[in-house]
Amino acid sequence: QKLIRQLTGNSKNSTMSESYKLVFWSKRLINDLIKIGLTTRKSLTMSFPYVPHKYVWHFIRGCWDGDGTLYIQKQPKWGAEYLYSTYISGSKVFVEKLVEILKRELAIENINIRNAKGAYEIGFATKNTLRLCHHFYNGVSPDIYLKRKFDIYNNFLEKRKLNKDSRIGIKN
């Protein structure tokens, strides 16, 4: 939505039912994109690209904004709400590299990759989702993340009376 507003000057709030298509007609641009790794059917074949360390969390957050979930679920058995996150991709190679980075950066020992009908999925419960979201949002400009997912995280923090700088078991 932010990109569409920048390109079109349209300030109207779009709904989830709207969609947009960005088409490149420049052969030079297409060839340049192919040179840096753009492929057809990328969701099934892509590998994790080289991303300089200082940008890796921006990249992962962008991937999660596109192909991940963040949600609060009430567990009646325990009478509490929990924060969960999942990420899914058609590329096992991509998910394996993502898991390697998350294990290293978040100090999570066991991350299982589940085969979900031809796609590969990882997921986290509250403690590790809080670690993940801390890296996604702490000190980051609201202009570069998906507000809808940030609001889920922020609402959870408010319900639990945690602050945004809460470092529940987070490795710095």
Side-chain angles (χ1 to χ4, degrees):
Q1 289 178 348
K2 291 176 188 173
L3 175 62
I4 297 301
R5 281 195 299 271
Q6 289 293 321
L7 294 174
T8 66
N10 183 354
S11 62
K12 176 185 155 228
N13 289 328
S14 68
T15 64
M16 292 296 286
S17 62
E18 291 183 33
S19 65
Y20 301 93
K21 184 176 184 179
L22 183 60
V23 179
F24 298 104
W25 291 102
S26 165
K27 286 185 181 185
R28 180 178 173 202
L29 178 59
I30 290 169
N31 288 332
D32 287 347
L33 291 171
I34 290 169
K35 284 179 189 173
I36 63 168
L38 185 72
T39 63
T40 59
R41 302 177 55 90
K42 72 165 181 54
S43 62
L44 301 177
T45 61
M46 68 181 181
S47 59
F48 201 98
Y50 167 74
V51 179
H53 189 266
K54 68 181 183 177
Y55 301 120
V56 76
W57 280 105
H58 296 295
F59 179 77
I60 294 171
R61 182 184 53 253
C63 292
W64 219 281
D65 280 350
D67 294 324
T69 61
L70 190 62
Y71 61 97
I72 298 172
Q73 185 173 22
K74 186 167 185 157
Q75 297 290 345
K77 184 176 180 179
W78 296 288
E81 290 185 337
Y82 295 90
L83 183 65
Y84 295 98
S85 59
T86 60
Y87 180 81
I88 192 163
S89 173
S91 172
K92 186 176 184 181
V93 172
F94 184 89
V95 173
E96 287 172 339
K97 181 64 176 182
L98 176 62
V99 165
E100 177 187 316
I101 292 168
L102 294 175
K103 282 181 177 181
R104 182 181 65 242
E105 297 290 323
L106 299 178
I108 301 171
E109 292 184 19
N110 295 315
I111 303 175
N112 297 316
I113 300 173
R114 294 178 295 281
N115 188 329
K117 298 181 183 178
Y120 301 92
E121 180 182 44
I122 58 174
F124 303 107
T126 301
K127 180 179 175 182
N128 290 328
T129 297
L130 286 171
R131 289 177 176 181
L132 185 71
C133 289
H134 173 79
H135 280 78
F136 285 171
Y137 305 119
N138 190 44
V140 175
S141 168
D143 294 331
I144 61 171
Y145 57 72
L146 191 60
K147 183 180 182 313
R148 175 175 53 83
K149 289 188 181 174
F150 170 79
D151 288 345
I152 293 168
Y153 167 63
N154 196 45
N155 289 339
F156 183 80
L157 292 178
E158 288 175 1
K159 285 180 182 182
R160 288 278 184 102
K161 299 190 182 344
L162 300 170
N163 64 41
K164 289 183 184 84
D165 292 327
S166 179
R167 291 177 170 37
I168 301 171
I170 294 172
K171 177 180 120 179
N172 285 330

